[in-house]
């Protein structure tokens, strides 16, 4: 996710926290520790226990919140305007400080509760705008059902004393590919085609030839890993078309086994894998039997 959208999220989060904090503060503002009847309040007043009082004036009544001398606890009571005048005199006579203000807590609560959906909606719209501007939604604008095509190519030198493995099948031949793994040229090109179609780099990204874990590794393992990555991205293999180029040996008779091995590694039906063989007509290194190469095109579709 891009930085602007993270910033927008953070701002929205803190706005929500501050908003909730203000709302809670206003709800609890001037709330006494204990609410008592008026008669009990008078007793406290007569006993000279009130050190400070705050009167909140509303339309029809006055809410009194008083702080007690001994304990600093606050008590609250409601009085009518009829007795309020006399009460102020008694408070002052008792040496208590008196503050008078308008009752606003209710107004604030109503305002905040009504404004909450609007504030959240505006915040959410700003958040969406940031996301669209930052391009974070770009992937969802692509057609999820679109076909993806990848191309893969590989070449290995052939040397005596190496085992020839093509498409996961060992073939009887006097030469084999030089490579860090088993040198399966078809599996490597196929792996690159799949990763390319999925936009996941290439085989070297996932299985570097400097890693001792892949020394003489069975290349079908690379295909199994590629299949897992495709699955995680909701991509399925639609079709694989491959050409293996080598002068010798004849590959056609081994294709059924290769298709079986590859289809098992990729978890797809064998009829989705199409293999072809070519020679290089005696031309260049492949033609002289010094190398083997493969080209693969893979087609993927969203599941
Ligand atoms: Mg290779």
């Amino acid at each position: 996710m891009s930085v602007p959208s993270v910033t927008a999220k953070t701002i929205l989060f803190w706005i929500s926290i501050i908003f909730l904090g203000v709302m809670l503060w206003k709800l609890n503002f001037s709330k006494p520790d204990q609410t008592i009847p008026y008669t009990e309040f008078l007793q406290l007043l007569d006993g000279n226990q009130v050190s400070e009082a705050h009167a909140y004036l509303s339309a029809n009544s006055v809410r009194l919140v008083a702080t007690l001398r001994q304990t600093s606890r606050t008590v609250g009571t409601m009085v009518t305007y009829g007795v309020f005048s006399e009460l102020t005199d008694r408070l002052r006579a008792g040496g208590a400080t008196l503050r008078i203000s308008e009752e606003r807590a209710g107004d604030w609560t109503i305002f905040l509760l009504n404004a909450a959906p609007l504030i959240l909606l505006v915040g959410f719209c700003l958040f969406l705008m940031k996301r669209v501007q930052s391009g974070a939604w770009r992937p969802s604008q692509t057609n999820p059902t679109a076909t993806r095509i990848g191309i893969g190519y590989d070449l290995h030198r052939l040397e005596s004393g190496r085992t020839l493995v093509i498409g996961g099948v060992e073939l009887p031949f006097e030469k084999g590919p030089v490579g860090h793994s088993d040198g399966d040229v078809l599996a490597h090109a196929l792996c690159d085609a799949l990763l390319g179609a999925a936009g996941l780099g290439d085989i070297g990204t996932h299985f570097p030839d400097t890693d001792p874990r892949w020394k003489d590794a069975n290349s079908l393992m690379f295909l199994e890993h590629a299949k897992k990555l495709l699955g995680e991205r909701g991509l399925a293999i639609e079709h694989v078309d491959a050409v293996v180029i080598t002068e010798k040996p004849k590959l056609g008779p081994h294709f059924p086994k290769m298709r079986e091995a590859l289809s098992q590694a990729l978890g797809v039906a064998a009829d989705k894998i199409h293999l072809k063989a070519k020679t290089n007509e005696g031309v260049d290194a492949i033609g002289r039997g010094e190398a083997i190469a493969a080209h693969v095109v893979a087609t993927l579709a969203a599941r």
Side-chain angles (χ1 to χ4, degrees), residues 51-70:
S51 66
E52 185 186 318
H54 198 148
Y56 297 94
L57 309 180
S58 58
N60 301 313
S61 58
V62 179
R63 189 165 62 91
L64 275 169
V65 177
T67 309
L68 304 183
R69 282 186 206 284
Q70 304 287 333

Side-chain angles (χ1 to χ4, degrees), residues 125-161:
C125 288
L126 286 171
F127 172 59
L128 290 184
M129 276 172 63
K130 280 283 180 191
R131 275 188 67 105
V132 170
Q133 281 170 5
S134 67
W137 276 6
R138 215 164 285 148
S140 65
Q141 290 166 352
T142 58
N143 181 0
T145 59
T147 300
R148 290 161 161 263
I149 298 170
I151 185 170
Y153 167 77
D154 196 27
L155 179 145
H156 281 262
R157 284 188 293 111
L158 291 172
E159 280 186 2
S160 299

Side-chain angles (χ1 to χ4, degrees), residues 128-209:
L128 290 184
M129 276 172 63
K130 280 283 180 191
R131 275 188 67 105
V132 170
Q133 281 170 5
S134 67
W137 276 6
R138 215 164 285 148
S140 65
Q141 290 166 352
T142 58
N143 181 0
T145 59
T147 300
R148 290 161 161 263
I149 298 170
I151 185 170
Y153 167 77
D154 196 27
L155 179 145
H156 281 262
R157 284 188 293 111
L158 291 172
E159 280 186 2
S160 299
R162 297 277 301 179
T163 305
L164 179 62
V165 180
I166 303 174
V169 176
E170 275 189 33
L171 304 185
F173 193 55
E174 67 267 23
K175 288 181 178 178
V178 178
H180 186 63
S181 63
D182 62 5
D184 188 334
V185 75
L186 175 55
H188 293 183
L190 175 51
C191 193
D192 262 0
L194 295 172
L195 293 171
L200 293 170
D202 62 14
I203 193 169
T205 314
H206 299 271
F207 306 100
D209 60 10

